[in-house]
Amino acid sequence: MVEAIKSGDKTVYPFIFPINYGAMTSINYFLYDDGKSLTLIDGGIQSIENEKYFFTMLQHHNLSIHDIDQIYLTHHHEDHIGVVNRVLSDKKVPIYAHHLALPRLYFEEQYLRNKKEFFQKIYTEYGCIHLAGNRFEKMEQTYRNREKLKLKADIIPLYDGDSIGGMTVIEVPGHSPDSIIFYNDATKWQFAGDLVLENTPTNALIDYDENLNLLPSVLQYENSLKKSLELPTTWIFPGHQNPFQNHKVEIEKKLQRLKRKESRIVETVEKGYQTTLEIAEALYHKRVEREFLFIMSEVIGYLDYAISKGKLEKTMRNGQWHFTKIEENEQ
Ligand SMILES: [Zn+2]
């Protein structure tokens, strides 16, 4: 159990819910006490076990749901909003999240339709839709359950540079378009969501803009890591794994990993693998089917990144992207 962390009149109570979740061993959220009010930052996953854990930990710190004054969300992913509706059912508190999180957190019809359309288009163009399994059936399920799933509160939209409760809001897209850091200016704490996790792979996921175009998620992620790196920091409070202090070491490692992944993608294309699936299978073998979502996100994301860096180019043949290396002397 990670105990409370203090600085002056400010306290963080880490909720580190242990769970095997992909490559992660925990899903985290935090209660932050600034001496005047209590903020829940994220909410973990929605499950009976996590709800139990939430109440056990509240009790452990002599706190109750009724002490919570507001909720901040680092991004909209389902493993970050688990206990939010539970809190709201007892106490109506305001929720703050990035403005792009609102349609996602409200499970808006148009947003859900766009999501399905985007992934159908992208998986078709990248020649891997036959491996998508029940992904689209799950999206339909989410669509049908949208009334139940949506956050039942007024969400206040946040913008880059906003200041709330002694925290600066810093946009850090890449893991998701709506990812933000809540940076505490006084204590130099970063509530960083899933941007930087200790000892884990890079964490960029493909996503889309309002015109259903692929966002440059790896490039965004790289820039976001650099933003986080530059902030004077005493603690990073992440969405998974333990809170940590050596943020420079950890972020430098991530930036190096990102460059290594780019090199591996470019080398694979250079060897003659041309389609997304050929490239994915050359790099990940059998894992492609088992971890389809994550690996396709990686491969599509890094191919796109290498294109933006002028190392690869893509051409559409038979409705599918083919990749080739751009020779150095042609640049
Ligand atoms: Zn996430």
Side-chain angles (χ1 to χ4, degrees):
M1 191 176 298
V2 180
E3 288 303 328
I5 291 165
K6 280 179 187 291
S7 176
D9 61 348
K10 298 177 176 44
T11 310
V12 178
Y13 303 97
F15 286 58
I16 312 290
F17 176 60
I19 184 173
N20 285 323
Y21 194 70
M24 321 294 173
T25 56
S26 73
I27 299 179
N28 309 339
Y29 43 106
F30 304 90
L31 273 173
Y32 164 67
D33 182 350
D34 69 355
K36 294 185 283 289
S37 74
L38 193 66
T39 306
L40 175 66
I41 302 178
D42 287 345
I45 198 162
Q46 192 177 25
S47 72
I48 294 163
E49 292 76 19
N50 182 42
E51 204 172 297
K52 249 193 214 162
Y53 175 80
F54 178 53
F55 284 105
T56 307
M57 290 298 289
L58 280 173
Q59 206 174 31
H60 175 76
H61 294 302
N62 285 318
L63 293 164
S64 103
I65 276 190
H66 296 275
D67 298 322
I68 296 172
D69 297 295
Q70 58 266 321
I71 299 174
Y72 295 174
L73 298 176
T74 60
H75 62 300
H76 73 284
H77 285 164
E78 63 176 5
D79 53 332
H80 292 258
I81 60 173
V83 299
V84 172
N85 273 336
R86 180 65 190 83
V87 173
L88 294 172
S89 70
D90 268 25
K91 190 180 177 188
K92 291 282 170 230
V93 294
I95 297 180
Y96 296 82
H98 188 269
H99 60 96
L100 291 175
L102 271 64
R104 292 163 165 85
L105 295 168
Y106 287 137
F107 289 78
E108 281 178 6
E109 286 190 51
Q110 192 58 49
Y111 164 72
L112 295 172
R113 287 218 190 91
N114 286 351
K115 184 173 179 177
K116 192 175 167 196
E117 196 183 316
F118 167 77
F119 279 101
Q120 277 173 335
K121 177 179 133 215
I122 206 92
Y123 288 163
T124 304
E125 285 179 2
Y126 286 79
C128 57
I129 196 155
H130 59 291
L131 293 177
N134 63 354
R135 171 117 214 231
F136 296 107
E137 175 46 37
K138 277 193 176 160
M139 284 184 185
E140 286 295 330
Q141 251 174 42
T142 303
Y143 185 84
R144 287 194 295 273
N145 290 331
R146 63 189 183 279
E147 282 306 316
K148 201 176 144 223
L149 291 166
K150 72 179 191 189
L151 292 194
K152 287 151 191 82
D154 288 330
I155 306 168
I156 298 148
L158 296 173
Y159 295 83
D160 193 38
D162 279 358
S163 187
I164 44 163
M167 305 261 201
T168 303
V169 173
I170 300 167
E171 278 181 350
V172 285
H175 174 66
S176 70
D178 63 332
S179 286
I180 47 179
I181 293 173
F182 293 99
Y183 178 67
N184 193 284
D185 306 280
T187 58
K188 316 288 181 220
W189 289 338
Q190 289 191 43
F191 295 91
D194 289 353
L195 177 66
V196 205
L197 311 173
E198 209 182 19
N199 303 319
T200 58
T202 58
N203 215 358
L205 296 173
I206 54 168
D207 220 305
Y208 51 92
D209 66 14
E210 61 280 7
N211 301 316
L212 301 196
N213 292 317
L214 184 66
L215 285 166
S217 54
V218 175
L219 189 64
Q220 289 182 326
Y221 182 72
E222 183 181 38
N223 292 332
S224 295
L225 283 174
K226 288 176 183 167
K227 274 195 201 175
S228 172
L229 179 69
E230 280 159 22
L231 294 169
T233 299
T234 55
W235 278 97
I236 289 203
F237 296 106
H240 304 270
Q241 315 304 86
N242 281 326
F244 59 93
Q245 295 193 276
N246 52 343
H247 91 297
K248 286 203 166 144
V249 175
E250 213 44 63
I251 295 175
E252 293 288 4
K253 267 199 286 187
K254 291 263 180 310
L255 288 167
Q256 284 164 15
R257 251 180 168 170
L258 189 148
K259 281 292 168 200
R260 272 206 306 277
K261 279 191 189 176
E262 184 200 17
S263 307
R264 282 179 62 204
I265 283 272
V266 173
E267 284 161 20
T268 308
V269 173
E270 203 175 8
K271 282 182 197 156
Y273 299 98
Q274 289 199 347
T275 67
T276 314
L277 213 51
E278 285 168 4
I279 297 161
E281 279 168 356
L283 285 167
Y284 294 97
H285 313 284
K286 287 217 178 314
R287 282 180 62 200
V288 175
E289 273 187 60
R290 279 205 312 270
E291 300 168 54
F292 174 77
L293 284 190
F294 171 70
I295 286 177
M296 277 306 142
S297 210
E298 283 277 299
V299 174
I300 295 170
Y302 278 89
L303 283 168
D304 179 64
Y305 178 76
I307 290 170
S308 73
K309 295 285 174 184
K311 297 186 177 161
L312 297 179
E313 60 187 351
K314 64 177 179 182
T315 43
M316 184 66 87
R317 260 184 275 153
N318 305 324
Q320 215 194 107
W321 293 117
H322 286 66
F323 299 88
T324 41
K325 185 160 186 277
I326 297 177
E327 294 310 322
E328 307 276 324
N329 52 14
E330 286 176 27
Q331 282 175 27

